[in-house]
Amino acid sequence: MSDSLATLIARLEGPARRGQFSRLRRGLEKEGLRVDPAGRIAQTPHPATLGSKLTHPHITTDYSEALLEYITPVYCRPEDAMAFLGDLHRFTHRHLGEELIWPASMPARLDGNDSVPIADYGPSNVGTMKRVYRQGLDVRYGRIMQAIAGVHYNVSLPDDLWELLREADGAGDTLLNDYRSARYFGLIRNFRRHSWLLLYLFGASPALDRSFLPGGEIPDKLQAHGRDTLVAPYATSLRMSDLGYQNKVQAQLKICFNSLSNYVGTLRHAISTPWPAYQALGVKADDGWRQLNANILQIENEYYSDIRPKRVARHDETPSQALEARGVEYIEVRCLDLNPLLPLGVDETQIRFVDAFMMWCLLSESPWIPDLECEHLDDNRRRVVERGRDPALRLVQHGEPRDLADWGSEILDEVGRVAELLDRLEEGNPHRDAVAVMVPRLADPALTPSGQLMARLQDRGEEFSDAMLAIARQQAERFGHGPMDPGRAALFAELAETSHHQQHEIEAADRERFEAFLEGYFARARESRIAGEAAS
């Protein structure tokens, strides 16, 4: 442990013991494909009894009409977030009929690109924009990639902790928003240096159905397992590999999160700069819109990253304008697979560990990332997702080869010290215990979720889709008949009804043609929101 980290932890122990900083705040976004009883992606519309996917605050869809997305409120206690997520599942299963929720990140059986239905948000301008954006993703990357599911973990640190850190840093003259944003970007840089550890510990997608690669050509990293399954024997997270959410055009953006201004400037450049291959696709065709524009990014949400700085945007702001105007509010972690072996795809132990890991990323020194290090970070990440359980694997640290287990053990020792700070407000040692659960996974890769899933497929000779379908049926039985909080049941029923009314009101209020709406949106998106700065 560095002297600076040890000193900072020591300085925070007293305030933590006295209860002078509050718990972390976190929310979860969890995706899951609807499938039919045979395990094929559902072709049915989003159930109307669940509410409007345009306006419902907790039940919506991601790319596909079949890709459910659950959004919890922000909670200080992980168990509260998990309870809310569980009731979202229970409520949904009561309205799915014979359909199931696929438990894995890699999708169910597909029948080509068109078997992934694009989500339809209605005829309003905002609904049309959402659909055209998704059509743009289709023509750029194809729909199959968009059927991948995951867990997004949103976390923010309490204001009283920021005050303590600012005082410890001797930065009392720095505006709190500016200080918070700079430190959040330091957290992000450390996360990018060490996110390979989360991919190793929690990756749960070492296999996929052959239908995910409709062209028939099998990449070298994959091997056949049975008739319909492809596996990478040592992989942890094929979802995060170049088979999943990766994009070579976006890679040239070179965002290494060294500063808020660099991040915002790079995104603004990307949504304003045409890309020849996308220009060749055309923005409109005889049958309507093909994409929102022909730029590197149609909108900022198209940028794929395993972590993002975030702030809740106002109605007239893009995400980066909200950041620019008021600074970073919270962090979104996007590299977590669904764990099919857990009923909700994630559990409280994992949340507690990620809490401690994120706090460790914040408190540790975090110099800017030069271009060469950025390349090494990407390479470490690639090695772990493709063969993280390979005993011969070596990563690169400070330009030198490093054994994954040794490096990971060193990190866990430090994360454990930080976990002790978080436990000062808890009964028992839940964060420290969560770190302890992870220690054996470094010594024995078979204990990781990816290792357990591979063992199941190999020991039973199961196909990936057959195994996931069996789990989906078990989970449907569990959630479909399990007890649900009566207050939440009433809330979800009310939200389903009111969300439909809200969508109708939005549609009735539209007075602008879609072309004019879109032109106005992008004109505003190009504006700087720095106080006193002229629009670009």
Side-chain angles (χ1 to χ4, degrees):
M1 179 183 296
S2 69
D3 291 342
S4 62
L5 178 58
T7 299
L8 185 53
I9 290 175
R11 294 189 65 173
L12 291 174
E13 281 179 348
R17 194 179 305 113
R18 295 189 295 271
Q20 285 183 261
F21 61 81
S22 309
R23 291 180 175 91
L24 277 64
R25 294 164 56 81
R26 88 276 297 147
L28 298 173
E29 301 170 27
K30 190 252 184 182
E31 301 159 348
L33 275 176
R34 287 185 296 111
V35 299
D36 67 19
R40 294 188 176 276
I41 185 170
Q43 301 299 304
T44 52
H46 181 75
T49 49
L50 297 182
S52 163
K53 52 188 173 292
L54 180 68
T55 55
H56 198 295
H58 302 301
I59 304 175
T60 182
T61 57
D62 194 78
Y63 176 85
S64 175
E65 187 76 3
L67 187 52
L68 286 167
E69 182 175 5
Y70 299 129
I71 304 168
T72 75
V74 177
Y75 286 107
C76 291
R77 301 195 314 161
E79 56 266 38
D80 292 336
M82 295 300 297
F84 194 96
L85 183 61
D87 277 344
L88 285 172
H89 280 73
R90 295 180 187 97
F91 180 80
T92 301
H93 275 289
R94 286 157 170 74
H95 297 279
L96 287 185
E98 293 185 339
E99 290 182 347
L100 306 165
I101 299 177
W102 195 248
S105 282
M106 300 309 287
R109 292 190 177 106
L110 306 172
D111 187 18
N113 191 69
D114 291 346
S115 69
V116 181
I118 298 176
D120 185 348
Y121 295 90
S124 68
N125 282 330
V126 65
T128 301
M129 183 174 177
K130 283 177 172 288
R131 182 168 180 85
V132 172
Y133 166 61
R134 285 159 173 76
Q135 288 171 183
L137 297 179
D138 178 18
V139 299
R140 293 178 177 207
Y141 321 119
R143 300 184 193 180
I144 287 178
M145 183 180 83
Q146 312 298 331
I148 297 173
V151 176
H152 295 174
Y153 167 89
N154 302 304
V155 62
S156 64
L157 281 77
D159 286 344
D160 44 10
L161 178 57
W162 289 118
E163 294 284 6
L164 288 169
L165 290 175
R166 185 169 63 162
E167 179 183 346
D169 280 349
D173 293 337
T174 304
L175 293 174
L176 185 58
N177 270 2
D178 294 341
Y179 176 80
R180 182 192 292 116
S181 292
R183 287 299 298 259
Y184 266 137
F185 269 83
L187 181 160
I188 291 171
R189 291 193 297 275
N190 272 336
F191 181 94
R192 294 204 69 249
R193 289 181 170 103
H194 305 101
S195 62
W196 58 264
L197 181 59
L198 297 185
L199 296 169
Y200 174 83
L201 293 173
F202 302 116
S205 53
L208 50 84
D209 192 88
R210 278 182 183 267
S211 62
F212 186 78
L213 301 173
E217 185 174 341
I218 301 176
D220 292 340
K221 66 172 69 70
L222 298 179
Q223 300 176 9
H225 170 84
R227 184 185 63 185
D228 298 320
T229 301
L230 299 173
V231 302
Y234 293 114
T236 61
S237 177
L238 293 177
R239 165 180 172 263
M240 297 300 294
S241 74
D242 58 5
L243 297 174
Y245 279 108
Q246 305 298 317
N247 182 276
K248 293 178 180 178
V249 175
Q250 293 185 23
Q252 57 90 38
L253 295 175
K254 295 294 182 187
I255 298 179
C256 276
F257 301 94
N258 282 328
S259 70
L260 175 58
S261 60
N262 171 262
Y263 177 77
V264 169
T266 304
L267 286 183
R268 186 165 291 140
H269 165 78
I271 63 171
S272 305
T273 303
W275 189 255
Y278 300 156
Q279 289 178 306
L281 295 171
V283 173
K284 296 178 73 174
D286 292 341
D287 56 350
W289 291 81
R290 305 197 71 195
Q291 51 185 336
L292 292 174
N293 55 54
N295 298 332
I296 296 172
L297 303 178
Q298 297 175 88
I299 56 175
E300 295 167 19
N301 289 350
E302 190 174 340
Y303 174 60
Y304 301 136
S305 174
D306 55 5
I307 188 168
R308 286 178 181 170
K310 298 292 287 283
R311 171 168 285 278
V312 176
R314 297 168 180 167
H315 76 281
D316 62 341
E317 292 177 322
T318 66
S320 66
Q321 286 173 329
L323 288 171
E324 191 175 46
R326 298 180 302 284
V328 183
E329 183 179 13
Y330 65 97
I331 299 296
E332 180 187 31
V333 175
R334 301 167 56 82
C335 64
L336 301 175
D337 286 355
L338 299 178
N339 184 346
L341 304 176
L342 299 173
L344 295 174
V346 62
D347 64 8
E348 186 179 331
T349 297
Q350 181 174 346
I351 293 174
R352 296 279 189 185
F353 178 85
V354 177
D355 282 349
F357 179 81
M358 298 295 281
M359 181 69 86
W360 173 76
C361 287
L362 174 77
L363 298 182
S364 300
E365 289 185 83
S366 184
W368 282 25
I369 299 176
D371 289 346
L372 181 59
E373 184 185 4
C374 200
E375 293 175 6
H376 287 159
L377 303 185
D378 291 340
D379 194 45
N380 281 344
R381 181 173 170 275
R382 178 188 58 79
R383 293 181 189 190
V384 172
V385 301
E386 293 182 1
R387 54 189 190 94
R389 289 179 288 106
D390 185 346
L393 177 66
R394 296 295 181 270
L395 304 180
V396 176
Q397 182 187 26
H398 306 312
E400 299 294 329
R402 187 75 194 271
D403 178 77
L404 181 150
D406 287 346
W407 191 1
S409 296
E410 183 179 291
I411 294 171
L412 289 190
D413 286 344
E414 297 187 5
V415 173
R417 288 288 308 278
V418 174
E420 294 173 3
L421 288 176
L422 297 176
D423 284 337
R424 295 296 185 186
L425 292 172
E426 306 289 345
E427 293 184 11
N429 303 291
H431 294 92
R432 183 72 181 180
D433 293 345
V435 176
V437 169
M438 304 304 151
V439 172
R441 297 186 187 185
L442 287 172
D444 185 0
L447 299 177
T448 62
S450 59
Q452 293 179 63
L453 288 166
M454 278 297 298
R456 170 169 177 157
L457 298 181
Q458 292 170 340
D459 294 347
R460 302 186 187 184
E462 280 184 302
E463 299 282 359
F464 166 73
S465 287
D466 292 341
M468 295 305 104
L469 182 58
I471 292 174
R473 289 169 176 160
Q474 294 168 1
Q475 292 179 356
E477 179 68 20
R478 173 183 181 138
F479 289 119
H481 298 94
M484 182 178 177
D485 180 274
R488 282 207 195 100
L491 171 66
F492 295 158
E494 180 182 353
L495 287 174
E497 182 178 354
T498 58
S499 66
H500 284 301
H501 290 311
Q502 289 168 342
Q503 177 172 340
H504 294 323
E505 289 171 357
I506 291 171
E507 292 167 357
D510 271 351
R511 295 291 183 269
E512 200 173 23
R513 294 177 65 248
F514 179 64
E515 290 83 350
F517 169 83
L518 204 59
E519 183 179 345
Y521 175 88
F522 286 116
R524 291 190 300 273
R526 290 189 290 269
E527 297 173 356
S528 170
R529 294 300 171 95
I530 298 176
E533 182 172 310
S536 58

